[in-house]
């Protein structure tokens, strides 16, 4: 059985004080990391503070990093520095980065490779727009995103990878994909991975759903066969909600 994961994506929210307050109220309450991966992805300047106070069971992630090792890339963040700070995860290819910061399938693939070089676990985001869904092309579009993102990766790397299926029309809109819609898209992602890698690899990959996940809908999403957890924006800003979500993941395991 795959270990469930709840990853909070704070986006461009929280001052240092607010981030510390959150960490102090959840770091001793999240479930044992042997059973659930509880992760918070924060803005870069607070990562060090959060890692220092993450406690035994919470883990910290970044929201982006550059694909090059170092150089004249003003304002960018390197994988080497994230590794140095003991950050464990990095979100790659979030739809907001693809839309506002011109990330392409090619740079996403380069970033995934770079994350592995520095022992960071990528949380690779894919997902379709409303227009694509309405045309009935969701699986076609997401299949292409997955194939491009995984190019050149080895079996052991893909096994470690976390994928987040986030339909763009469900992000921050309050409009969640139905659990069945989310599960169907996630099953397709797993099938695509099955065609590309040795047996056993796709069984190991955790695939999360993201898009307006909250305490009220997490149980129904996690009840689906292929949904291994959630990447959560808005609801992860609130410590109480975040704890409800990680507890729901623990319950999934116990069912
Ligand atoms: P949301 O964001 O939960 O606020 O919809 C999800 C995400 O963008 O990762």
């Amino acid at each position: 059985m795959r270990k469930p994961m709840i990853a909070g994506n704070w986006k461009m929210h929280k001052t240092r004080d607010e981030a510390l307050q959150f960490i102090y109220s959840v770091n001793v309450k999240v479930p044992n990391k042997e059973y659930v991966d509880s992760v918070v992805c924060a803005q870069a300047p607070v990562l060090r503070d959060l890692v220092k106070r993450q406690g035994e069971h919470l883990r910290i992630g970044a929201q982006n990093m550059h694909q090059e090792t170092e150089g004249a890339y003003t304002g960018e963040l390197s994988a080497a520095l994230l590794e140095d700070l003991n950050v464990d995860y990095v979100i790659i290819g979030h739809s907001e980065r693809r839309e506002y910061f011109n990330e392409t399938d090619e740079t996403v693939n380069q970033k995934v490779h770079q994350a592995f070089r520095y022992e960071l676990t990528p949380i690779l985001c894919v997902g379709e727009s409303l227009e694509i869904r309405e045309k009935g092309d969701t699986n076609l579009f997401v299949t292409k995103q997955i194939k491009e993102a995984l190019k050149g990766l080895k079996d052991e790397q893909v096994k470690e990878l976390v994928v987040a299926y986030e339909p763009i029309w469900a992000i921050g809109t309050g409009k969640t994909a139905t659990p069945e819609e989310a599960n169907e898209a996630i099953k397709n992602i797993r099938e695509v991975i099955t065609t590309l890698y040795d047996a056993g690899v796709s069984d190991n990959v955790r695939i999360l759903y993201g898009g307006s996940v909250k305490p009220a809908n997490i149980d129904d999403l996690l009840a689906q066969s292929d949904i291994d957890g959630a990447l959560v924006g808005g609801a992860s800003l609130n410590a109480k909600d975040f704890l409800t979500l990680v507890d729901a993941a623990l319950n999934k395991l116990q069912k």
Side-chain angles (χ1 to χ4, degrees):
M1 174 141 189
R2 294 177 293 270
K3 196 202 305 189
M5 172 186 275
I6 300 292
N9 172 13
W10 283 354
K11 309 192 181 184
M12 204 170 72
H13 293 287
K14 291 199 189 291
T15 60
R16 178 171 179 272
D17 276 355
E18 288 164 350
L20 291 179
Q21 221 174 17
F22 180 101
I23 228 75
Y24 287 133
S25 45
V26 309
N27 62 2
V28 293
K29 294 190 188 143
V30 293
N32 191 309
K33 66 174 188 300
E34 218 179 294
Y35 307 119
V36 176
D37 281 324
S38 310
V39 181
V40 166
C41 301
Q43 297 186 75
V46 295
L47 291 173
R48 181 168 166 72
D49 284 327
L50 300 187
V51 169
K52 272 174 140 179
R53 297 163 179 85
Q54 67 188 3
E56 216 182 320
H57 301 296
L58 182 69
R59 286 297 169 264
I60 305 302
Q63 299 172 7
N64 174 42
M65 46 154 246
H66 198 267
Q67 62 271 30
E68 296 296 335
T69 299
E70 59 181 3
Y73 301 102
T74 303
E76 286 293 336
L77 183 61
S78 75
L81 178 57
L82 292 177
E83 186 194 36
D84 198 23
L85 297 179
N86 288 319
V87 165
D88 286 302
Y89 293 90
V90 58
I91 298 174
I92 291 180
H94 190 281
S95 59
E96 285 151 18
R97 302 243 16 125
R98 293 180 192 251
E99 185 180 348
Y100 307 132
F101 303 97
N102 304 321
E103 295 206 6
T104 61
D105 284 338
E106 192 187 354
T107 58
V108 166
N109 174 251
Q110 291 165 347
K111 287 180 184 206
V112 172
H113 279 278
Q114 183 71 346
F116 280 120
R117 273 182 213 114
Y118 287 89
E119 298 193 14
L120 299 158
T121 302
I123 302 175
L124 164 69
C125 300
V126 294
E128 80 289 357
S129 63
L130 187 58
E131 199 189 339
I132 292 170
R133 172 155 290 261
E134 283 173 348
K135 268 204 250 156
D137 288 342
T138 297
N139 285 351
L140 204 70
F141 181 82
V142 173
T143 297
K144 181 169 180 289
Q145 281 187 320
I146 286 286
K147 285 188 172 168
E148 299 279 329
L150 301 188
K151 261 188 193 159
L153 290 182
K154 301 188 185 77
D155 285 33
E156 316 83 76
Q157 294 174 319
V158 178
K159 261 189 190 168
E160 292 305 311
L161 185 79
V162 179
V163 176
Y165 166 65
E166 300 204 305
I168 298 169
W169 49 272
I171 295 178
T173 55
K175 221 176 153 184
T176 330
T178 65
E180 293 75 20
E181 281 171 333
N183 200 48
E184 199 203 310
I186 287 176
K187 265 191 171 162
N188 169 60
I189 293 172
R190 213 177 289 290
E191 274 160 26
V192 175
I193 298 175
T194 309
T195 64
L196 298 172
Y197 290 90
D198 279 356
V201 172
S202 66
D203 277 349
N204 263 277
V205 186
R206 265 112 36 102
I207 311 182
L208 316 179
Y209 166 75
S212 299
V213 174
K214 46 187 181 279
N217 57 25
I218 187 73
D219 290 331
D220 289 346
L221 288 162
L222 291 179
Q224 295 291 320
S225 61
D226 278 63
I227 304 182
D228 301 319
L231 180 59
V232 189
S236 75
L237 294 169
N238 178 289
K240 193 166 159 270
D241 287 349
F242 181 76
L243 288 171
T244 306
L245 298 172
V246 293
D247 283 343
L250 186 63
N251 288 341
K252 173 178 168 101
L253 206 67
Q254 286 160 349
K255 268 178 193 156

